[in-house]
Amino acid sequence: MTKIDVHDKEELQKCGQGDTSEHITIYEGSHKTLGAATTIRRLLPRRHRRMVGPWCFLDHFGPVAFEDRQQAMWVGPHPHIGLQTVTWLLEGEVLHRDSVGSVQVIRPGQLNVMTSGKGISHSEETPEENSGHMHGLQFWVALPEESRNVEPHFEHVPQVPSVNVDGITFNVFAGSAFGVTCPAKYYSPIVGFDAHLVGSETADVPLNSAFEHAVVVTSGEVQVDGETVSPGFMGYLGTNRESVCIEHSEDAHIAIVGGEPFGEEIYMWWNFVARNAAEIREARDDWAAGRRFPDVQGFEGKRLEVPEFAFS
Ligand code: MN
């Protein structure tokens, strides 16, 4: 997936540091569309909350029911630098192809982590054999200075570790939580997990107090430390927390992501994460000229055109 909104493309986003506020802050996502049928709620970056740990981008897409797969997800080859893309599905399937030769269908419970390092291109599409439904999350994770120019690579985890705590099953798709560790390679202190919440209950979810965290709700309505969070909103928790109280009176689904406040200032524009405008311009010009980023094989459509870059 990529940013497809012109306004986003034209805004050079300079990202900041963590926040030690003790109170939950609710951020409203912006609405986009992907293909003809799929709604996206963009929860990161927000104007006053660019990052949560190393997490710098979050799209919640769907749920969608479709007949034409090109109306669900159909994103042609496009480049990335300086980040990892993390794909986590709740329903349906997505086919990933990339310029290091990966061809991988992902389904719920599975994890795709693509590390762009110094440069990769990829496409994402609803595969021909599909359930007619799609719902999921796609994140970007900024790579720290010492790792941002690694060789591009791709990792598929067929089943992430799950652990049952007081009747709730948590699936850990990044870092370590609840005594289990996701096997996918990340490059800075990070955590990500989700849970399907059933019925009505209250749970204290333990957190790493060195991390900042955010709670995203993809279905149902949840009280997070007493504040309502529903789909389309993100509850930011700051650092210095031992736990967060989650209450719900209906079935719901939540994801919690976090990490050490990133500490480095990053620039985001289009599909790139960098440290200054010159690096962004170079990546932009390389994609436009067909340099640096090898081709993606097998996608039946055009590659994405990069917009003009108007910043110095
Ligand atoms: Mn992408």
Side-chain angles (χ1 to χ4, degrees), residues 136-203:
L137 297 167
Q138 188 172 82
F139 307 88
W140 296 355
V141 175
L143 290 168
E145 179 62 31
E146 63 273 19
S147 307
R148 67 192 184 97
N149 289 311
V150 296
E151 290 298 321
H153 59 99
F154 174 79
E155 192 171 0
H156 175 74
V157 179
Q159 179 75 55
V160 307
S162 297
V163 57
N164 191 290
V165 181
D166 297 335
I168 301 174
T169 300
F170 292 95
N171 309 297
V172 180
F173 57 80
S176 298
F178 315 106
V180 297
T181 298
C182 176
K185 168 86 173 159
Y186 291 94
Y187 289 85
S188 62
I190 193 170
V191 73
F193 52 86
D194 83 338
H196 291 277
L197 306 173
V198 180
S200 174
E201 58 194 348
T202 300

Side-chain angles (χ1 to χ4, degrees), residues 1-2 78 80 85 122 124 138:
M1 190 180 321
T2 185
H78 59 278
H80 288 288
T85 63
H122 73 143
E124 290 156 292
Q138 188 172 82

